[in-house]
Amino acid sequence: MSEVLGMFSHITLGVDDLYNATRFYDAVMSVLGYQRHSNGDTFAGYGHPDNAILGTDSLWVLKPLDGRPSSSGNGTNVAFRAANRQQVDDFHQKALALSGTDEGKPGVRTEVHPNFYAGYVRDPFGNKLVAVCHDPE
């Protein structure tokens, strides 16, 4: 039987100001137990340090390669798994403290499922992020 791979290789989000992006993401990703594992002149990668070599299972923030301004999509979000509901609350609070904007306060969204506890924010560049805990209280 072959190894079952996760659904995603990686996620990228476009940003125009890498300095401020890393300031924001260094803080909010640490709340979820992740850290910056890679960086360069136009990018930064987040996740578990063991993923730095391949860059898989990672979030990458980067300046678009085509040189045009970054943009975010309506209806698009990046959902990060939280270990518990307190991490969702802390993620949301940290993002707002770092110039993120509220897109939905932490709480249960029963329309998704009975234990879907999520908090939504936009980063300072307009990307919609969500921290989610799927476990019961």
Side-chain angles (χ1 to χ4, degrees), residues 35-119:
Q35 64 188 44
R36 186 176 355 154
H37 59 56
S38 303
N39 36 239
D41 292 339
T42 60
F43 66 87
Y46 293 86
H48 190 277
D50 290 347
N51 296 332
I53 293 171
L54 294 177
T56 59
D57 195 27
S58 296
L59 169 71
W60 296 90
V61 292
L62 51 85
K63 292 183 177 185
L65 294 175
D66 64 8
R68 297 192 333 225
S70 65
S71 63
S72 58
N74 187 26
T76 302
N77 70 50
V78 176
F80 300 108
R81 206 160 196 177
N84 54 56
R85 293 179 180 200
Q86 185 62 54
Q87 273 192 343
V88 172
D89 295 347
D90 293 347
F91 176 89
H92 190 267
Q93 181 180 25
K94 179 69 76 175
L96 297 182
L98 293 167
S99 301
T101 56
D102 178 38
E103 285 288 321
K105 295 190 183 334
V108 176
R109 271 57 176 194
T110 55
E111 67 276 13
V112 179
H113 70 71
N115 296 315
F116 190 88
Y117 188 88

